[in-house]
Amino acid sequence: MTSNDRGQRPATVMHVRCPDRLPQETYRQVLELLAGLSPVVQALPPSAALVELKGALRYHHADARRLGEVLRVRAISRLGVDLRVGIGPSITVAATASAQIAPPGGVLAVGPGQVADWLGALPVQALHGIGSRQAGILHDYGIHTVGLLAAVSPATVQRLLGGRAGRLAADRARGIDPRPVIPRALPASLSVCHTFDPHVLDGAAVRTALLRLVVDLAMLLRRRGQAARALTLQLTFAQGGSWEKTRRLVEPSAHDDDLRTLAYRLMDAAGLQRGRLTRITLRGEDLIDAGQVTQQISLDTTREARLAAEKTVDRVREKFGPRVIGPAAAFRHAS
């Protein structure tokens, strides 16, 4: 059977998996490549995405597998990134297919007429949406493949896995998944970084570098008329490992004090002992226009004075340069 079999939804859903730990800027570039194939792209951060190809097939005069191959070649040639591309008639089939591709990359297309046989032969834990706990329960009852799961009555699966989870598992084992691909762009972000040379073990120097990053990020956000809903701190170590954590601000902000408080909490959460750092990256996440931030009436006169001083400092920086003025602590232990 072909992907255009009568009465069956064609294989037009593409699920794309990028390499783990892909830098966010590169991930954004992958999303731009996807947008070149189809206007219906749903970002699934940090490293995956969905694409609806229905209109793209007509526009590009190509089948879905061909578009997947074109995408992969473009990602390798332009970004140096290989992708795992799964294609099917539903999100579940496409996402299950992409997970079956061994790294670094490849394309696997499953046509509507192939779904039952292809899914049925897979181990139950391979079905997209089935977690390890659910797979363990199913194994306890002798349900080891997706085909066996599809053969069990939905009512029984609901009793084993619970109401909603059981319904979804029973449907998806049969290839039933009516969810559409919903266009969703990756929320805007802005990052600043500091590289240590030589490798730094001095905690005071690390703290100083972090404060400078906070000041730079806040200034850039205000200059762009934006505010961050969250901060991400990424630490890269000399041994080759890295640590990353994201926390949300109480309310969107582009002010030094707010960003500094959260950045210090993130650094404290890292629990650094004697790890030598080579790089710190601070990223403002989920950016919005500053005009959308609700202005709260504050009775904190100290904070209000700092915000007023911040505006003056910004004007000085605009005229004389970003490093001419700032917190005294940000100019110590420079490396």
Side-chain angles (χ1 to χ4, degrees), residues 259-294:
L259 302 190
R260 181 183 67 246
T261 299
L262 185 54
Y264 282 178
R265 288 176 182 169
L266 286 166
M267 182 63 81
D268 291 342
L272 293 180
Q273 298 298 323
R274 297 186 63 79
R276 291 186 179 273
L277 292 175
T278 59
R279 187 182 180 92
I280 297 180
T281 300
L282 185 66
R283 192 162 59 242
E285 305 275 18
D286 201 0
L287 305 186
I288 62 172
D289 290 338
Q292 297 179 30
V293 180
T294 303

mmCIF file of all heavy atoms in Angstrom, residues 259-294:
data_model
loop_
_atom_site.group_PDB
_atom_site.id
_atom_site.type_symbol
_atom_site.label_atom_id
_atom_site.label_comp_id
_atom_site.label_asym_id
_atom_site.label_seq_id
_atom_site.Cartn_x
_atom_site.Cartn_y
_atom_site.Cartn_z
ATOM 1 N N LEU A 259 17.689 39.875 38.052
ATOM 2 C CA LEU A 259 18.468 38.858 37.357
ATOM 3 C C LEU A 259 19.630 38.370 38.224
ATOM 4 O O LEU A 259 19.956 37.178 38.229
ATOM 5 C CB LEU A 259 19.000 39.397 36.029
ATOM 6 C CG LEU A 259 17.965 39.903 35.015
ATOM 7 C CD1 LEU A 259 18.636 40.157 33.668
ATOM 8 C CD2 LEU A 259 16.809 38.934 34.848
ATOM 9 N N ARG A 260 20.254 39.284 38.960
ATOM 10 C CA ARG A 260 21.385 38.899 39.813
ATOM 11 C C ARG A 260 20.940 37.926 40.896
ATOM 12 O O ARG A 260 21.599 36.905 41.150
ATOM 13 C CB ARG A 260 22.019 40.134 40.456
ATOM 14 C CG ARG A 260 23.229 39.788 41.330
ATOM 15 C CD ARG A 260 23.809 40.991 42.032
ATOM 16 N NE ARG A 260 22.879 41.516 43.021
ATOM 17 C CZ ARG A 260 22.302 42.696 42.946
ATOM 18 N NH1 ARG A 260 22.521 43.470 41.908
ATOM 19 N NH2 ARG A 260 21.500 43.103 43.893
ATOM 20 N N THR A 261 19.816 38.217 41.542
ATOM 21 C CA THR A 261 19.333 37.342 42.616
ATOM 22 C C THR A 261 19.107 35.918 42.112
ATOM 23 O O THR A 261 19.530 34.945 42.733
ATOM 24 C CB THR A 261 18.016 37.898 43.205
ATOM 25 O OG1 THR A 261 18.261 39.195 43.751
ATOM 26 C CG2 THR A 261 17.476 36.983 44.285
ATOM 27 N N LEU A 262 18.467 35.795 40.957
ATOM 28 C CA LEU A 262 18.190 34.462 40.426
ATOM 29 C C LEU A 262 19.465 33.795 39.908
ATOM 30 O O LEU A 262 19.660 32.585 40.091
ATOM 31 C CB LEU A 262 17.152 34.547 39.308
ATOM 32 C CG LEU A 262 16.682 33.206 38.735
ATOM 33 C CD1 LEU A 262 16.168 32.285 39.833
ATOM 34 C CD2 LEU A 262 15.595 33.423 37.685
ATOM 35 N N ALA A 263 20.359 34.579 39.287
ATOM 36 C CA ALA A 263 21.608 34.003 38.780
ATOM 37 C C ALA A 263 22.451 33.442 39.915
ATOM 38 O O ALA A 263 23.056 32.362 39.796
ATOM 39 C CB ALA A 263 22.399 35.058 38.009
ATOM 40 N N TYR A 264 22.498 34.144 41.056
ATOM 41 C CA TYR A 264 23.251 33.645 42.212
ATOM 42 C C TYR A 264 22.627 32.364 42.769
ATOM 43 O O TYR A 264 23.333 31.444 43.199
ATOM 44 C CB TYR A 264 23.304 34.717 43.297
ATOM 45 C CG TYR A 264 24.306 35.827 43.042
ATOM 46 C CD1 TYR A 264 24.446 36.890 43.922
ATOM 47 C CD2 TYR A 264 25.105 35.820 41.897
ATOM 48 C CE1 TYR A 264 25.363 37.907 43.698
ATOM 49 C CE2 TYR A 264 26.025 36.834 41.660
ATOM 50 C CZ TYR A 264 26.150 37.877 42.565
ATOM 51 O OH TYR A 264 27.055 38.878 42.343
ATOM 52 N N ARG A 265 21.304 32.299 42.752
ATOM 53 C CA ARG A 265 20.647 31.079 43.214
ATOM 54 C C ARG A 265 20.981 29.896 42.303
ATOM 55 O O ARG A 265 21.185 28.778 42.769
ATOM 56 C CB ARG A 265 19.131 31.288 43.270
ATOM 57 C CG ARG A 265 18.674 32.196 44.407
ATOM 58 C CD ARG A 265 17.179 32.445 44.341
ATOM 59 N NE ARG A 265 16.747 33.347 45.403
ATOM 60 C CZ ARG A 265 15.538 33.910 45.462
ATOM 61 N NH1 ARG A 265 14.646 33.643 44.508
ATOM 62 N NH2 ARG A 265 15.233 34.718 46.454
ATOM 63 N N LEU A 266 21.020 30.167 41.010
ATOM 64 C CA LEU A 266 21.394 29.103 40.073
ATOM 65 C C LEU A 266 22.825 28.648 40.310
ATOM 66 O O LEU A 266 23.126 27.446 40.293
ATOM 67 C CB LEU A 266 21.239 29.604 38.628
ATOM 68 C CG LEU A 266 19.802 29.736 38.116
ATOM 69 C CD1 LEU A 266 19.774 30.549 36.822
ATOM 70 C CD2 LEU A 266 19.194 28.362 37.883
ATOM 71 N N MET A 267 23.734 29.592 40.541
ATOM 72 C CA MET A 267 25.126 29.227 40.800
ATOM 73 C C MET A 267 25.246 28.425 42.088
ATOM 74 O O MET A 267 25.982 27.432 42.166
ATOM 75 C CB MET A 267 25.998 30.486 40.865
ATOM 76 C CG MET A 267 27.476 30.188 41.097
ATOM 77 S SD MET A 267 28.237 29.221 39.762
ATOM 78 C CE MET A 267 28.548 30.515 38.563
ATOM 79 N N ASP A 268 24.493 28.834 43.113
ATOM 80 C CA ASP A 268 24.512 28.079 44.379
ATOM 81 C C ASP A 268 23.991 26.660 44.163
ATOM 82 O O ASP A 268 24.485 25.699 44.770
ATOM 83 C CB ASP A 268 23.659 28.789 45.432
ATOM 84 C CG ASP A 268 24.280 30.102 45.899
ATOM 85 O OD1 ASP A 268 25.500 30.290 45.680
ATOM 86 O OD2 ASP A 268 23.542 30.939 46.456
ATOM 87 N N ALA A 269 22.990 26.516 43.293
ATOM 88 C CA ALA A 269 22.423 25.192 43.026
ATOM 89 C C ALA A 269 23.422 24.278 42.330
ATOM 90 O O ALA A 269 23.316 23.048 42.421
ATOM 91 C CB ALA A 269 21.164 25.319 42.170
ATOM 92 N N ALA A 270 24.414 24.864 41.643
ATOM 93 C CA ALA A 270 25.414 24.050 40.961
ATOM 94 C C ALA A 270 26.303 23.316 41.951
ATOM 95 O O ALA A 270 26.871 22.266 41.622
ATOM 96 C CB ALA A 270 26.260 24.914 40.038
ATOM 97 N N GLY A 271 26.429 23.861 43.177
ATOM 98 C CA GLY A 271 27.214 23.197 44.211
ATOM 99 C C GLY A 271 28.662 22.979 43.820
ATOM 100 O O GLY A 271 29.222 21.897 44.036
ATOM 101 N N LEU A 272 29.295 23.994 43.228
ATOM 102 C CA LEU A 272 30.679 23.851 42.786
ATOM 103 C C LEU A 272 31.595 23.567 43.966
ATOM 104 O O LEU A 272 31.516 24.214 45.005
ATOM 105 C CB LEU A 272 31.139 25.129 42.085
ATOM 106 C CG LEU A 272 30.474 25.455 40.746
ATOM 107 C CD1 LEU A 272 31.045 26.757 40.201
ATOM 108 C CD2 LEU A 272 30.686 24.329 39.757
ATOM 109 N N GLN A 273 32.467 22.610 43.774
ATOM 110 C CA GLN A 273 33.475 22.301 44.781
ATOM 111 C C GLN A 273 34.847 22.723 44.223
ATOM 112 O O GLN A 273 35.287 23.816 44.418
ATOM 113 C CB GLN A 273 33.445 20.798 45.112
ATOM 114 C CG GLN A 273 32.122 20.342 45.710
ATOM 115 C CD GLN A 273 31.793 21.002 47.032
ATOM 116 O OE1 GLN A 273 32.688 21.244 47.844
ATOM 117 N NE2 GLN A 273 30.522 21.318 47.253
ATOM 118 N N ARG A 274 35.478 21.828 43.493
ATOM 119 C CA ARG A 274 36.794 22.156 42.939
ATOM 120 C C ARG A 274 36.823 21.957 41.413
ATOM 121 O O ARG A 274 37.862 21.733 40.815
ATOM 122 C CB ARG A 274 37.877 21.303 43.599
ATOM 123 C CG ARG A 274 38.013 21.551 45.094
ATOM 124 C CD ARG A 274 39.189 20.778 45.659
ATOM 125 N NE ARG A 274 40.468 21.199 45.089
ATOM 126 C CZ ARG A 274 41.145 22.292 45.459
ATOM 127 N NH1 ARG A 274 40.656 23.090 46.391
ATOM 128 N NH2 ARG A 274 42.300 22.582 44.892
ATOM 129 N N GLY A 275 35.656 22.021 40.795
ATOM 130 C CA GLY A 275 35.616 21.871 39.345
ATOM 131 C C GLY A 275 36.154 23.107 38.645
ATOM 132 O O GLY A 275 35.765 24.231 38.956
ATOM 133 N N ARG A 276 37.070 22.897 37.719
ATOM 134 C CA ARG A 276 37.638 24.023 36.975
ATOM 135 C C ARG A 276 36.729 24.382 35.799
ATOM 136 O O ARG A 276 36.425 23.545 34.967
ATOM 137 C CB ARG A 276 39.039 23.677 36.467
ATOM 138 C CG ARG A 276 40.062 23.569 37.588
ATOM 139 C CD ARG A 276 41.465 23.373 37.010
ATOM 140 N NE ARG A 276 42.448 23.284 38.076
ATOM 141 C CZ ARG A 276 43.043 24.336 38.632
ATOM 142 N NH1 ARG A 276 42.748 25.556 38.212
ATOM 143 N NH2 ARG A 276 43.922 24.174 39.589
ATOM 144 N N LEU A 277 36.340 25.641 35.746
ATOM 145 C CA LEU A 277 35.439 26.107 34.700
ATOM 146 C C LEU A 277 36.225 26.662 33.515
ATOM 147 O O LEU A 277 37.258 27.308 33.694
ATOM 148 C CB LEU A 277 34.518 27.199 35.232
ATOM 149 C CG LEU A 277 33.473 26.787 36.268
ATOM 150 C CD1 LEU A 277 32.741 28.024 36.771
ATOM 151 C CD2 LEU A 277 32.500 25.808 35.672
ATOM 152 N N THR A 278 35.708 26.420 32.326
ATOM 153 C CA THR A 278 36.259 27.055 31.132
ATOM 154 C C THR A 278 35.303 28.097 30.562
ATOM 155 O O THR A 278 35.722 28.976 29.809
ATOM 156 C CB THR A 278 36.545 26.010 30.037
ATOM 157 O OG1 THR A 278 35.327 25.324 29.713
ATOM 158 C CG2 THR A 278 37.580 25.002 30.509
ATOM 159 N N ARG A 279 34.022 28.009 30.944
ATOM 160 C CA ARG A 279 33.044 28.910 30.332
ATOM 161 C C ARG A 279 31.780 28.986 31.189
ATOM 162 O O ARG A 279 31.349 27.989 31.766
ATOM 163 C CB ARG A 279 32.683 28.397 28.931
ATOM 164 C CG ARG A 279 31.796 29.300 28.081
ATOM 165 C CD ARG A 279 31.518 28.591 26.754
ATOM 166 N NE ARG A 279 30.678 29.366 25.851
ATOM 167 C CZ ARG A 279 31.124 30.196 24.924
ATOM 168 N NH1 ARG A 279 32.431 30.360 24.768
ATOM 169 N NH2 ARG A 279 30.298 30.851 24.123
ATOM 170 N N ILE A 280 31.225 30.187 31.275
ATOM 171 C CA ILE A 280 29.910 30.411 31.890
ATOM 172 C C ILE A 280 29.021 31.062 30.835
ATOM 173 O O ILE A 280 29.416 32.034 30.191
ATOM 174 C CB ILE A 280 29.981 31.358 33.107
ATOM 175 C CG1 ILE A 280 30.818 30.763 34.225
ATOM 176 C CG2 ILE A 280 28.579 31.640 33.638
ATOM 177 C CD1 ILE A 280 30.896 31.678 35.441
ATOM 178 N N THR A 281 27.814 30.525 30.679
ATOM 179 C CA THR A 281 26.832 31.123 29.779
ATOM 180 C C THR A 281 25.574 31.431 30.576
ATOM 181 O O THR A 281 25.065 30.571 31.296
ATOM 182 C CB THR A 281 26.478 30.177 28.618
ATOM 183 O OG1 THR A 281 27.660 29.880 27.875
ATOM 184 C CG2 THR A 281 25.455 30.822 27.684
ATOM 185 N N LEU A 282 25.090 32.645 30.463
ATOM 186 C CA LEU A 282 23.848 33.062 31.117
ATOM 187 C C LEU A 282 22.860 33.438 30.022
ATOM 188 O O LEU A 282 23.178 34.257 29.145
ATOM 189 C CB LEU A 282 24.090 34.248 32.044
ATOM 190 C CG LEU A 282 22.891 34.705 32.886
ATOM 191 C CD1 LEU A 282 22.496 33.636 33.899
ATOM 192 C CD2 LEU A 282 23.209 36.009 33.607
ATOM 193 N N ARG A 283 21.680 32.843 30.079
ATOM 194 C CA ARG A 283 20.700 33.048 29.005
ATOM 195 C C ARG A 283 19.362 33.506 29.568
ATOM 196 O O ARG A 283 18.809 32.883 30.466
ATOM 197 C CB ARG A 283 20.528 31.737 28.231
ATOM 198 C CG ARG A 283 19.774 31.865 26.935
ATOM 199 C CD ARG A 283 19.999 30.667 26.026
ATOM 200 N NE ARG A 283 19.588 29.409 26.632
ATOM 201 C CZ ARG A 283 20.411 28.396 26.897
ATOM 202 N NH1 ARG A 283 21.704 28.494 26.630
ATOM 203 N NH2 ARG A 283 19.950 27.277 27.418
ATOM 204 N N GLY A 284 18.852 34.596 29.021
ATOM 205 C CA GLY A 284 17.497 35.027 29.330
ATOM 206 C C GLY A 284 16.536 34.271 28.443
ATOM 207 O O GLY A 284 16.698 34.266 27.217
ATOM 208 N N GLU A 285 15.544 33.618 29.039
ATOM 209 C CA GLU A 285 14.648 32.733 28.297
ATOM 210 C C GLU A 285 13.231 33.301 28.224
ATOM 211 O O GLU A 285 12.835 34.113 29.047
ATOM 212 C CB GLU A 285 14.576 31.360 28.987
ATOM 213 C CG GLU A 285 15.920 30.694 29.208
ATOM 214 C CD GLU A 285 16.402 29.920 28.003
ATOM 215 O OE1 GLU A 285 15.889 30.153 26.881
ATOM 216 O OE2 GLU A 285 17.297 29.078 28.164
ATOM 217 N N ASP A 286 12.490 32.803 27.238
ATOM 218 C CA ASP A 286 11.064 33.107 27.104
ATOM 219 C C ASP A 286 10.847 34.619 27.156
ATOM 220 O O ASP A 286 10.093 35.139 27.978
ATOM 221 C CB ASP A 286 10.287 32.405 28.226
ATOM 222 C CG ASP A 286 8.813 32.234 27.896
ATOM 223 O OD1 ASP A 286 8.401 32.652 26.802
ATOM 224 O OD2 ASP A 286 8.064 31.705 28.743
ATOM 225 N N LEU A 287 11.522 35.332 26.253
ATOM 226 C CA LEU A 287 11.496 36.793 26.269
ATOM 227 C C LEU A 287 10.161 37.342 25.782
ATOM 228 O O LEU A 287 9.522 36.771 24.904
ATOM 229 C CB LEU A 287 12.622 37.340 25.387
ATOM 230 C CG LEU A 287 14.038 36.857 25.691
ATOM 231 C CD1 LEU A 287 15.026 37.616 24.813
ATOM 232 C CD2 LEU A 287 14.390 37.008 27.157
ATOM 233 N N ILE A 288 9.773 38.450 26.350
ATOM 234 C CA ILE A 288 8.568 39.154 25.930
ATOM 235 C C ILE A 288 8.896 40.631 25.801
ATOM 236 O O ILE A 288 9.937 41.112 26.277
ATOM 237 C CB ILE A 288 7.400 38.970 26.931
ATOM 238 C CG1 ILE A 288 7.764 39.559 28.303
ATOM 239 C CG2 ILE A 288 7.007 37.517 27.055
ATOM 240 C CD1 ILE A 288 6.595 39.582 29.282
ATOM 241 N N ASP A 289 8.023 41.368 25.129
ATOM 242 C CA ASP A 289 8.195 42.818 25.041
ATOM 243 C C ASP A 289 8.056 43.431 26.430
ATOM 244 O O ASP A 289 7.160 43.071 27.191
ATOM 245 C CB ASP A 289 7.156 43.424 24.111
ATOM 246 C CG ASP A 289 7.391 43.057 22.659
ATOM 247 O OD1 ASP A 289 8.534 42.704 22.320
ATOM 248 O OD2 ASP A 289 6.422 43.115 21.872
ATOM 249 N N ALA A 290 8.943 44.375 26.730
ATOM 250 C CA ALA A 290 8.909 45.013 28.040
ATOM 251 C C ALA A 290 7.563 45.683 28.306
ATOM 252 O O ALA A 290 7.112 45.770 29.450
ATOM 253 C CB ALA A 290 10.041 46.022 28.164
ATOM 254 N N GLY A 291 6.909 46.127 27.242
ATOM 255 C CA GLY A 291 5.609 46.783 27.402
ATOM 256 C C GLY A 291 4.527 45.861 27.914
ATOM 257 O O GLY A 291 3.483 46.324 28.396
ATOM 258 N N GLN A 292 4.746 44.540 27.814
ATOM 259 C CA GLN A 292 3.751 43.583 28.295
ATOM 260 C C GLN A 292 3.890 43.291 29.793
ATOM 261 O O GLN A 292 3.038 42.635 30.369
ATOM 262 C CB GLN A 292 3.881 42.266 27.528
ATOM 263 C CG GLN A 292 3.612 42.372 26.048
ATOM 264 C CD GLN A 292 3.772 41.034 25.344
ATOM 265 O OE1 GLN A 292 3.548 39.977 25.917
ATOM 266 N NE2 GLN A 292 4.172 41.081 24.093
ATOM 267 N N VAL A 293 4.977 43.777 30.394
ATOM 268 C CA VAL A 293 5.215 43.513 31.815
ATOM 269 C C VAL A 293 4.370 44.450 32.657
ATOM 270 O O VAL A 293 4.414 45.668 32.481
ATOM 271 C CB VAL A 293 6.705 43.696 32.168
ATOM 272 C CG1 VAL A 293 6.933 43.429 33.652
ATOM 273 C CG2 VAL A 293 7.560 42.776 31.320
ATOM 274 N N THR A 294 3.595 43.885 33.546
ATOM 275 C CA THR A 294 2.747 44.690 34.424
ATOM 276 C C THR A 294 3.611 45.485 35.385
ATOM 277 O O THR A 294 4.506 44.944 36.049
ATOM 278 C CB THR A 294 1.802 43.790 35.236
ATOM 279 O OG1 THR A 294 1.022 43.009 34.332
ATOM 280 C CG2 THR A 294 0.881 44.623 36.121
#
